[in-house]
Structure formats: structure tokens, C-alpha cells
Amino acid sequence: MSTWSRPALALALLAIIPAPWTGAPAQTNPAPIRFRFQPIAFELDSNESDLRRVPETMAGGLALFDYDNDGDLDLFFTNGADLASLKKTSARFSNRLFANDGSGHFTDVTEKAGLAGTGFDNGVAAADYDNDGFTDLFVGGVHRNTLYHNNGDGTFTDVTVKAGLARSAGEASPYWSVGAVWADFNNDGFLDLFIINYLTWNAATEPPCEYRGVREYCHPKFYKPSPNQLFLNNGNGTFRDASVESGIRASLGKGMGAAAADFDIDGKIDIFVANDGMNNFLFRNKGDAKFEEIALQAGASLVESGQAISGMGVDFRDIDNDGFPDISVVALDSETFPLFRNTGRGEFLDYTMRSRLGPQSRSMAGYSPTVFDFDNDGWKDIFVTRGHVQPLKAARPIQAEQHNTVFRNLGGMSFAALTAEAGLTAQPPRRHRGSAVGDLNGDGRLDVVVSSISGPAEVWINESPQSHYLDLRLEGTRSNRDAIGARVKVVTSSGTQYNHATHSTGYASSSAGPIHFGIGADKSASLVEIRWPSGRIQTLRDVPADRVLKVREDR
């Protein structure tokens, strides 16, 4: 465990931070990021009907992770169920696992894996919670959560009860989980589980909401908030509920997205929660997994106008390469896609308008933002899945089906929206939901997989002009094996970049690939510095580009 104090560590880091990345200056006519559509045989079925039950429009989580340890990313989709019984009464509701052949083509292996599921599943979080070298899955859903242990032979076992996440088989949860975050919140070397719970919902008491005589999905204000949950890992494959003692349960919300990062660089992982129709939460980790909610004083509770928005998914990464993680959130049309810049002084500034995200996103409805460098120019971009919460036959004049958009980073905190230019109009507009990002075909460019309500999933293969990259696959020894929470600095002749290991990004989804750095025209990194969750610092020099670098934590 690190012995740095917060102020001392922050000052020390500021003293050693070199110039940020300058290899790709702002351009007025940027070369577009380009994607090519590739079909996959999955269609999300959320049991949509004229009853307009809220879970129908909130489904759609997915995960990219290497389930069989063959070096490429496989693909898992959550799926719905019959909402009257909350059971998967038909094969059309089956969750699906697809194995990647290494070139971005997939084969359905759900039956062998045992991952079809039983209830209405909403979100997924992938990580190796028991440090055995195989990635496990937490699947969150409506009144039911499931923890699947990866057996290492291509199969998974439901260990929800054994792990202490439920008292008995099939036990109903009082909450509706839209996903989770894996991170080591007490720095003991084992991953803990933060569960994101949405509003309080019951099919028997669904309020009827109409607009001009037409039934629509109700606004979140018609439902009560729920507490989020924190389960601490005992280190023996079991968990204990620490929601109350940690301070997490004290804040009731309507969580749609959560992401973890050490926002104040004190060696402890913090949590940001995007709430739907109410103020956001920023849980600052005070140590030993004890949290205080500080979003209001930190400037991340509300947008600059002081309004609460329809907060959907979130990503929590350093966007401007200054060493401090920033926050990207998306919302519905007229609310814009907020961007909170971390000042490095324990606070955030609303950069939505200054970044140009505000005017460009005002007419858009977004669900899942993922912050990654899609053109490998050294600046992280933002891919947003788009689609409205309301149904296709809504009475009000809304555009329910929309094309996805990638906001290209022009250098720091300025973005250009690319939709048709990025090839994303090659498919019809849809009500898109979750998304996961990773290099599916091993070419060094990050691809995207997207789900959509009552529609086919989309695989978007990245065919942007080729630039150099460096990926890091970290393995913790004293730290958790996935090294979630590790902070990485990469220095090249063009400048310095930062990223950190995390799997929870966007909406209800998980991107569990290596840590990715685009380095533009540079063919090597002069320095790679890894600050492990254990507090150890590991340094590599003169690292060639265009490779997946496997790094094991020094003992």
C-alpha cells in the first residue's frame, strides 16, 4: 500500500509531469476517423410492448473480454426477459457469448459456456475477481444479479450464493442493477464490487404516463431513488456487504452509469455516478474503502446552468493529457453531453461549451460514451452510442432512432463530431444502448461493438489511417491481477500521455482489453512508467511501438 499523503503525492506528480502530448495539433479540417460495419448474429429483445414498462428501454449491456485466454477479445451480450415473470421464457431472450477467432469474426459458444442466463439482464462487468488468471462476469439485472466464475475450460459457474452476493438461489434483489464497477477500493490486492442501481421499479405499480393520449415511458421523477451497493472482496472468493459502513448507501440515486478513477491522485480509487434526472455523485475514497460524497463541492454534481440532466453512461479518463482524469457524460436531446475537466486541485470545471461538445450534441440523445484514441494520434476521442429513451411511436416529435457519433479530439479539450464522415451512417439509425471498445482483429486500431433496442447489434471495425500505437497488458502480483487502478504514463518525442487500467466504461458495459496508447508518427516510447495499485513504480525505457506489451508487476 502506498504511504504517500494526498497533498505530498499531488505536488510530487505535478513537479515531474512533462509537457503534455503535442504530436497532433488542433486542425480545422481533420482527417476523419473511419469505421466499417460488420454484422453479428445478435438482436436485443427487451420484451418491448405498448405497456411501456421502463426496463424495456434500458436494456443493452455488453462486454469485450478474453474469456479463453487466447489473446483476443471475445464478446458477451446481456438480453431481456418476459417482464411479467422476469424470466427468460424463450430462447430469444438468451444472453450470448461469442468467441473471437482472432480476426474479428465470432462464433456463438453460449451453450457450452453456460451463460444463457435466467432473468432480465441489463448490464455486465468483467474482471478476474479471484486472481486465478481467468476473467469472470458480474451480470446485473432487474431484481436479480448473477456472478459467473470462469472455470478456465470454456465454461462458467453461477457462484452468486457461494460468493455471498445472494442468500439463496434465485433470491430476488430489491434493486434494479444496470451494471457494476470492479476496482480495489481498499488496496488489499483483491477486486471489490460497486453495483449501480437504477430507480425503484415494480411491474405491478408501473405508473401510466401519456402524452396526447399515447402511452410513453415515464420520466424518472415518477419513481423513487435506490441506494448503490459496495461488496468488499474477502480474498477467498467471497464478498461482504459494506454498503452502509463505507458511506455508499447514504446517497440515494438513480444511477445510469458509474466509473472509477483516482481523480485526486492520492493512491485511492474514487467513483463517479451519473444519475438520471438528479444530481450526480462523486464518492471520494478516504481510505480503507470509506467514502464521502463530494460532487457538489467538486463541481461535478450538476451542469454549469445548475440543472439536473438525464445522466446516462459515463467514462472517467484523462482527456487532455495533464495527468488528471476527466469525466465524460451523455444525456438526452437539448441537455448536451457534459464534459467535466479535472483541474488537478480537487475540483472540476464544466467544459461542455468550451470543448464544442455542447453545441454539437444539443440535438442528440446519447447512452454510452467511451473515451479512447480511435485514430492513434495521441488524443483520446469520445464514441457515443445514440438513440432516444422514448419508443418509435412516441406522440411527441422526437427522433428516437439515431446514428452513432465519434467526437474526434482536435488537441486537448476541443472536439469535432463525426457521423457520416466516420462511416457510421452505413447502417440505419437505431435506438442504440451499450458499447464496448477493443482491438478485435489485432491491427492496433480500436473497434467498437454496439447494442440497440429491438434491433441487431453492430460491430464497427476501425479503418482509420494507420498510425503507431502501444498497448499494455498488465498483470498484478501484489496488486489485483487485472491491475485495475494502475496509472500509466507514456512519453515519446511528441510528448506525454496518461491512462489507467479500468474495465467499466460507457453504459452498462465493460471493455476489458489492454491499456491503449496511440502515439502518432512516433515509433517508440522513451519511457513507460506504471504506478501499480500496490504503490510500486515500474519503469521501462525505449519501448518499440506497434505491439501488445505484457508487463508483470515486480515483487
Side-chain angles (χ1 to χ4, degrees):
M1 184 180 296
S2 173
T3 58
W4 285 86
S5 67
R6 271 201 309 142
L9 180 55
L11 287 172
L13 285 175
L14 284 172
I16 63 172
I17 291 174
W21 181 266
T22 58
Q27 303 173 40
T28 56
N29 185 26
I33 298 168
R34 293 288 301 180
F35 292 97
R36 171 179 56 82
F37 170 73
Q38 177 177 296
I40 188 167
F42 175 77
E43 184 163 317
L44 175 62
D45 193 328
S46 62
N47 199 212
E48 192 171 23
S49 74
D50 291 338
L51 295 176
R52 303 297 180 233
R53 299 158 297 191
V54 176
E56 299 170 7
T57 193
M58 298 298 180
L62 61 143
L64 280 172
F65 73 113
D66 186 0
Y67 91 98
D68 51 4
N69 283 0
D70 65 352
D72 51 53
L73 294 174
D74 309 297
L75 180 54
F76 175 81
F77 291 99
T78 64
N79 208 347
D82 172 65
L83 275 169
S85 63
L86 292 179
K87 294 181 180 179
K88 294 188 187 296
T89 55
S90 167
R92 66 190 174 97
F93 295 127
S94 172
N95 301 333
R96 302 278 289 279
L97 176 67
F98 293 88
N100 188 346
D101 67 359
S103 62
H105 295 92
F106 296 92
T107 301
D108 191 332
V109 294
T110 309
E111 185 175 354
K112 177 186 175 183
L115 288 176
T118 56
F120 193 106
D121 294 318
N122 206 130
V124 55
D128 180 5
Y129 75 86
D130 57 355
N131 291 340
D132 68 351
F134 296 95
T135 304
D136 314 295
L137 292 179
F138 171 84
V139 177
V142 182
H143 300 165
R144 185 187 185 100
N145 298 324
T146 309
L147 180 63
Y148 292 102
H149 179 262
N150 188 333
N151 301 318
D153 60 358
T155 68
F156 291 77
T157 300
D158 181 345
V159 295
T160 314
V161 174
K162 180 181 177 181
L165 299 183
R167 288 176 298 225
S168 60
E171 177 191 18
S173 166
Y175 309 119
W176 165 10
S177 167
V178 295
V181 174
W182 290 105
D184 185 0
F185 296 113
N186 54 8
N187 287 345
D188 66 353
F190 291 93
L191 292 174
D192 310 304
L193 183 65
F194 177 88
I195 300 177
I196 315 154
N197 290 319
Y198 191 38
L199 46 77
T200 301
W201 177 83
N202 188 312
T205 59
E206 181 82 64
C209 295
E210 294 185 351
Y211 181 80
R212 294 181 178 176
V214 177
R215 189 93 174 240
E216 292 189 353
Y217 295 114
C218 292
H219 190 277
K221 68 183 179 183
F222 290 97
Y223 305 87
K224 294 180 180 179
S226 298
N228 297 303
Q229 296 167 280
L230 178 66
F231 288 87
L232 295 181
N233 194 327
N234 295 320
N236 60 2
T238 68
F239 296 81
R240 66 182 180 89
D241 189 342
S243 305
V244 174
E245 67 187 69
S246 66
I248 292 296
R249 190 180 173 86
S251 299
L252 300 182
K254 300 173 183 179
M256 284 279 284
D262 181 2
F263 91 94
D264 50 2
I265 318 300
D266 66 351
K268 298 181 284 289
I269 301 297
D270 312 297
I271 309 167
F272 179 85
V273 178
N275 283 310
D276 190 3
M278 60 176 288
N279 56 294
N280 303 316
F281 298 149
L282 178 61
F283 293 107
R284 188 179 78 82
N285 191 338
K286 299 186 294 183
D288 198 30
K290 299 293 193 299
F291 294 87
E292 60 177 336
E293 202 288 293
I294 63 165
L296 185 61
Q297 53 265 47
S301 176
L302 302 165
V303 295
E304 199 165 34
S305 65
Q307 295 178 316
I309 61 169
S310 307
M312 303 294 194
V314 59
D315 205 347
F316 199 169
R317 294 182 193 269
D318 179 11
I319 294 175
D320 57 356
N321 288 331
D322 66 352
F324 295 94
D326 311 295
I327 300 172
S328 171
V329 185
V330 294
L332 296 181
D333 51 302
S334 79
E335 296 176 328
T336 74
F337 297 165
L339 180 63
F340 297 100
R341 180 179 178 268
N342 191 335
T343 67
R345 300 185 297 273
E347 64 180 3
F348 294 83
L349 296 177
D350 189 331
Y351 258 59
T352 311
M353 302 308 292
R354 279 173 278 191
S355 67
R356 299 173 56 198
L357 284 173
Q360 294 180 94
S361 65
R362 191 171 299 280
S363 64
M364 301 178 179
Y367 256 83
S368 185
T370 47
V371 178
F372 290 86
D373 186 354
F374 292 104
D375 54 1
N376 287 343
D377 67 349
W379 294 104
K380 298 179 191 70
D381 315 293
I382 307 174
F383 188 103
V384 177
T385 67
R386 292 172 50 199
H388 208 281
V389 66
Q390 289 298 346
L392 295 178
K393 298 179 181 179
R396 65 191 69 208
I398 60 169
Q399 187 178 353
E401 296 180 306
Q402 300 183 21
H403 293 292
N404 300 314
T405 295
V406 60
F407 292 87
R408 185 175 188 257
N409 192 332
L410 303 180
M413 281 285 183
S414 181
F415 293 87
L418 305 176
T419 303
E421 302 93 329
L424 295 171
T425 56
Q427 284 293 291
R430 296 187 173 103
R431 289 172 294 163
H432 299 102
R433 293 300 185 256
S435 64
V437 176
D439 183 358
L440 301 181
N441 53 10
D443 68 354
R445 293 172 288 192
L446 294 176
D447 313 299
V448 187
V449 185
V450 177
S451 66
S452 61
I453 293 291
S454 301
E458 300 167 356
V459 177
W460 294 99
I461 301 298
N462 192 338
E463 294 187 337
S464 304
Q466 190 67 270
S467 293
H468 296 294
Y469 72 97
L470 180 63
D471 285 355
L472 280 81
R473 182 175 291 134
L474 304 183
E475 180 184 332
T477 54
R478 294 183 57 181
S479 306
N480 66 87
R481 187 181 177 98
D482 283 351
I484 289 176
R487 297 181 64 250
V488 180
K489 176 172 70 175
V490 169
V491 180
T492 72
S493 59
S494 298
T496 302
Q497 300 179 59
Y498 297 85
N499 207 339
H500 66 278
T502 181
H503 294 172
S504 299
T505 63
Y507 173 68
S509 299
S510 191
S511 298
I515 307 173
H516 181 82
F517 291 87
I519 57 175
D522 296 324
K523 296 181 180 180
S524 65
S526 58
L527 173 71
V528 174
E529 181 184 270
I530 304 163
R531 292 177 176 262
W532 298 88
S534 66
R536 287 183 175 266
I537 300 175
Q538 203 163 336
T539 300
L540 307 173
R541 297 190 181 276
D542 299 323
V543 180
D546 303 327
R547 58 189 295 207
V548 178
L549 180 64
K550 299 179 182 179
V551 184
R552 195 167 189 263
E553 182 181 13
D554 287 340
R555 287 185 177 273

